[in-house]
Amino acid sequence: DHALPGAPTALGVGHGALLTPEGALLSLRARYPDSDLAFTGVTVIAVDGGTTALAPPGAHIEGARSVLLLTRVRRHTGELDVTAEGRALRDLAATGHDELLARHVARHRTAYERVTLDLAADPAERALPGSELLKRPSAAALLERLFAAGRYHLLSAGGLFPPRLTGLWTGDWNTAWSGAFTNDANLNLQTASAAAAALPEVTAAHAALIQRQLPDWRDNARAVFGTRGVVAPAHTDGESGHSYHFNREYPLHLWTAGADWLLKPLVDHDETHGTRDPRTAAALAEVAHFYEDFLTRTDADGHLVVVPSYSPENRPANASWGTLNAAMDLSAARHALRTAAAYHPDTPDADRWRALADRLPPHRINADGALAEWAWPGLEDSYDHRHLSHLYGVWPLDEITPYDTPDLAAAAHRALELRGAENDSAHGHLHHALIAARLRDAGRVAHALDQVLGGDFFHASLMSAHYPNRDVYNADAAHTLPAVLIETLVQSTPDRLVLLPALPPTFREGRLRGVRTRFGAEVDLTWTRDGATAVLKPSRTVRVELRTSSGDGDSAAQPLDLVAGEDHVLTLRTW
């Protein structure tokens, strides 16, 4: 049905229904108002037994042993030859359902089953359809199903490009936010599980979007800031990577952290696979060139100043939108310069980039004991906001951790406690959960999950909405949830493994199988209230630091030596 909410009344709509020897052929054409652009959908219905009758614009089938529907949608100008499309689909239908399904199973099952989550759910609840499970928001079977469905939707929506705000689909005719990509939060949240949940196909799609738009990113750096290098836009339609949002309110053209934020998933992928993609290396060098030209101001203490600066999509309580030293900008500049140096070792560039990173100012802790969203003195925080841009150093970066920077981690946790939910957007709740998991706050993770599971965010298809009560079709919750669940159970850096860092109290037992780490090992984790076992399958020889949960919280660090190709079994206490 073309009549999604908001469909224009001036559409040129045509239906076709025809009986065929196999069953029926249906077509729907919609031509856009005042345009030669159109789309046509053709559906072949192959019926085994029973009776088939036309019921325009559809068909009515009774008593059939099986019904196979094959649909193809074409975008076109002029007219489409529906007969030719129908003939091609009938030839395909003749192959038979089982063989058609087998083709897809062969291509997709491996990807879907690389990582699985078992929360020891009630078998009777597991047998329920999704629409019934959604009525039981506290059911472990619902989280199991949403984990699997989230990976299914994510892989399905990651092809030529990564998922848009609506995935690969749409909920109405005039899709919210143009159904495009929002780069300053949503895109990275949706793809957050790609490396750990073994979906390199999604990372490849993410990389394809970046590579296609790098020339436009160079234009942004030159035209807006007068520099070399690259600056990523906060929004893109997938075609243009130019900055278009020149507004006083939401001055997204001032956001300079975007390139580092968008390249971080590609760095995670390289760490997971033990490789360094030369395209990622080249892009990081361009980000470093931008900062070399951009970071030219210093404060009274000799620190570099990020000016102009912008923290998506917030403003200080006592100042306008364009600011100085947003925490996200500081974290991004430091990370980009040091990562570019790591990708180009033993070069004069690397030494220069590290030295530049060292001149950036530290984060500021405000009068509330919270990590300030703006490190410039006098700028006051605005706490009730859906974005958590200032905690970029906690997630997805490893700049602020309870292990290496406990004082900053405590300030970041205080900032998280003070943060409001503003408009209850799904991405805000799950971004909150990802950061809470890094800070080992299981209770805060559980609360964020409860807000999403109990807020009626999910449709019967297990695709999600942006707001409670299924308001505004949006893929954030569906695609981000698997990452949240993984982060509560397994976290890693190139030199650290953290097991069960933020286990929600309702996860009494379960198994996470196949998760990947950034030091090159696959992990199977099984836990009960009595203890846990982790089987590590390393692909390279490495020494990492092991952190686990204990009865009193975080256990002391232990060295862990892994040998490529040799499984390593760990036994630990969970409570």
Side-chain angles (χ1 to χ4, degrees):
D1 190 347
H2 71 285
L4 293 170
T9 56
L11 283 173
V13 179
H15 294 277
L18 178 70
L19 286 177
T20 66
E22 298 83 10
L25 174 67
L26 307 179
S27 64
L28 165 67
R29 186 211 66 203
R31 189 174 305 285
Y32 294 91
D34 303 317
S35 172
D36 193 35
L37 295 171
F39 66 84
T40 298
V42 180
T43 298
V44 160
I45 306 176
V47 182
D48 179 13
T51 59
T52 302
L54 293 183
H60 184 86
I61 300 162
E62 286 190 25
R65 287 181 292 274
S66 68
V67 181
L68 173 65
L69 296 91
L70 292 177
T71 298
R72 178 172 287 150
V73 181
R74 299 288 194 191
R75 294 186 296 175
H76 60 89
T77 58
E79 297 297 329
L80 185 75
D81 188 341
V82 172
T83 302
E85 293 291 336
R87 187 179 303 115
L89 287 174
R90 283 199 299 273
D91 291 343
L92 196 58
T95 305
H97 170 270
D98 290 345
E99 184 174 334
L100 291 172
L101 179 61
R103 294 179 187 178
H104 288 277
V105 168
R107 290 188 62 185
H108 298 129
R109 173 173 284 169
T110 299
Y112 293 130
E113 294 187 349
R114 290 176 194 142
V115 175
T116 59
L117 177 65
D118 179 340
L119 294 175
D122 181 343
E125 291 186 323
R126 280 180 176 164
L128 294 173
S131 55
E132 289 300 314
L133 265 183
L134 289 170
K135 299 174 184 176
R136 307 184 185 198
S138 61
L142 176 58
L143 274 178
E144 290 178 346
R145 188 79 58 85
L146 290 173
F147 183 87
R151 296 184 72 251
Y152 173 88
H153 288 315
L154 179 58
L155 185 58
S156 299
L160 178 65
F161 289 148
R164 296 171 178 269
L165 281 169
T166 57
L168 195 63
W169 309 279
T170 184
D172 54 28
W173 188 273
N174 293 311
T175 311
W177 303 286
S178 303
F181 300 90
T182 298
N183 294 337
D184 63 20
N186 311 65
L187 176 56
N188 283 35
L189 289 167
Q190 288 195 27
T191 60
S193 68
L199 291 177
E201 299 88 348
V202 174
T203 305
H206 186 107
L209 177 64
I210 291 174
Q211 289 298 319
R212 177 170 178 170
Q213 298 196 350
L214 276 176
D216 290 350
W217 292 15
R218 296 183 191 110
D219 291 344
N220 296 336
R222 183 180 65 254
V224 179
F225 298 99
T227 68
R228 298 173 299 155
V230 294
V231 173
H235 296 279
T236 172
D237 62 358
E239 297 295 324
S240 170
H242 284 137
S243 294
Y244 283 116
H245 292 78
F246 299 95
N247 301 316
R248 179 176 177 82
E249 185 177 1
Y250 296 105
L252 298 171
H253 61 288
L254 300 183
W255 185 51
T256 57
D260 182 70
W261 165 255
L262 290 169
L263 287 168
K264 178 62 167 65
L266 307 189
V267 174
D268 289 349
H269 174 88
D270 282 358
E271 291 170 347
T272 301
H273 292 269
T275 59
R276 283 185 173 168
D277 189 322
R279 298 172 302 170
T280 302
L284 285 165
E286 292 203 69
V287 181
H289 290 150
F290 164 75
Y291 284 118
E292 285 189 287
D293 292 356
F294 176 64
L295 296 173
T296 59
R297 309 285 185 90
T298 55
D299 62 19
D301 297 321
H303 290 126
L304 294 168
V305 180
V306 179
V307 53
S309 187
Y310 177 63
S311 187
E313 297 173 7
N314 203 4
R315 60 176 288 180
N318 62 338
S320 188
W321 299 84
T323 61
L324 301 90
N325 286 357
M328 184 179 196
D329 285 343
L330 296 179
S331 293
R334 259 191 293 267
H335 180 259
L337 289 163
R338 289 172 178 166
T339 307
Y343 269 71
H344 298 84
D346 305 319
T347 67
D349 285 339
D351 294 337
R352 193 171 65 252
W353 294 336
R354 280 190 289 264
L356 193 63
D358 291 342
R359 293 176 57 202
L360 286 160
H363 289 293
R364 181 171 68 92
I365 299 176
N366 67 19
D368 296 319
L371 189 141
E373 190 155 359
W374 297 272
W376 193 259
L379 294 179
E380 298 176 5
D381 283 75
S382 297
Y383 291 124
D384 189 22
H385 201 268
R386 66 198 176 280
H387 279 251
L388 297 106
S389 306
H390 57 315
L391 300 181
Y392 180 39
V394 179
W395 182 92
L397 299 185
D398 311 303
E399 178 190 26
I400 300 172
T401 75
Y403 323 108
D404 305 318
T405 58
D407 292 342
L408 276 178
H413 189 266
R414 180 61 178 151
L416 196 63
E417 289 177 331
L418 293 171
R419 203 66 165 188
E422 194 191 7
N423 57 13
D424 274 326
S425 61
H427 73 81
H429 287 304
L430 294 182
H431 196 170
H432 193 114
L434 287 164
I435 294 167
R438 288 284 176 95
L439 296 173
R440 305 183 70 96
D441 188 338
R444 193 162 287 278
V445 172
H447 177 74
L449 287 173
D450 287 346
Q451 294 299 299
V452 174
L453 297 177
D456 193 19
F457 278 90
F458 287 92
H459 298 275
S461 64
L462 303 186
M463 181 46 73
S464 53
H466 193 266
Y467 300 113
N469 303 313
R470 284 169 283 156
D471 183 23
V472 184
Y473 189 91
N474 175 271
D476 290 347
H479 289 166
T480 308
L481 192 65
V484 172
L485 297 178
I486 289 173
E487 287 278 342
T488 67
L489 301 170
V490 178
Q491 298 170 14
S492 68
T493 72
D495 54 13
R496 177 179 288 134
L497 172 65
V498 187
L499 296 176
L500 301 170
L503 185 69
T506 55
F507 290 15
R508 296 180 177 275
E509 60 180 300
R511 183 182 182 194
L512 176 66
R513 185 187 63 80
V515 71
R516 270 54 167 185
T517 66
R518 287 162 55 198
F519 52 83
E522 183 178 325
V523 178
D524 291 346
L525 175 67
T526 304
W527 73 95
T528 67
R529 290 197 62 85
D530 298 323
T533 301
V535 179
L536 280 63
K537 305 169 186 177
S539 61
R540 52 188 187 261
T541 299
V542 65
R543 167 173 279 197
V544 298
E545 175 187 286
L546 173 65
R547 295 272 184 170
T548 63
S549 290
S550 68
D552 301 318
D554 178 30
S555 68
Q558 304 172 47
L560 178 61
D561 291 304
L562 301 173
V563 178
E566 295 184 9
D567 289 1
H568 190 103
V569 180
L570 295 170
T571 302
L572 53 140
R573 188 161 58 96
T574 51
W575 277 275

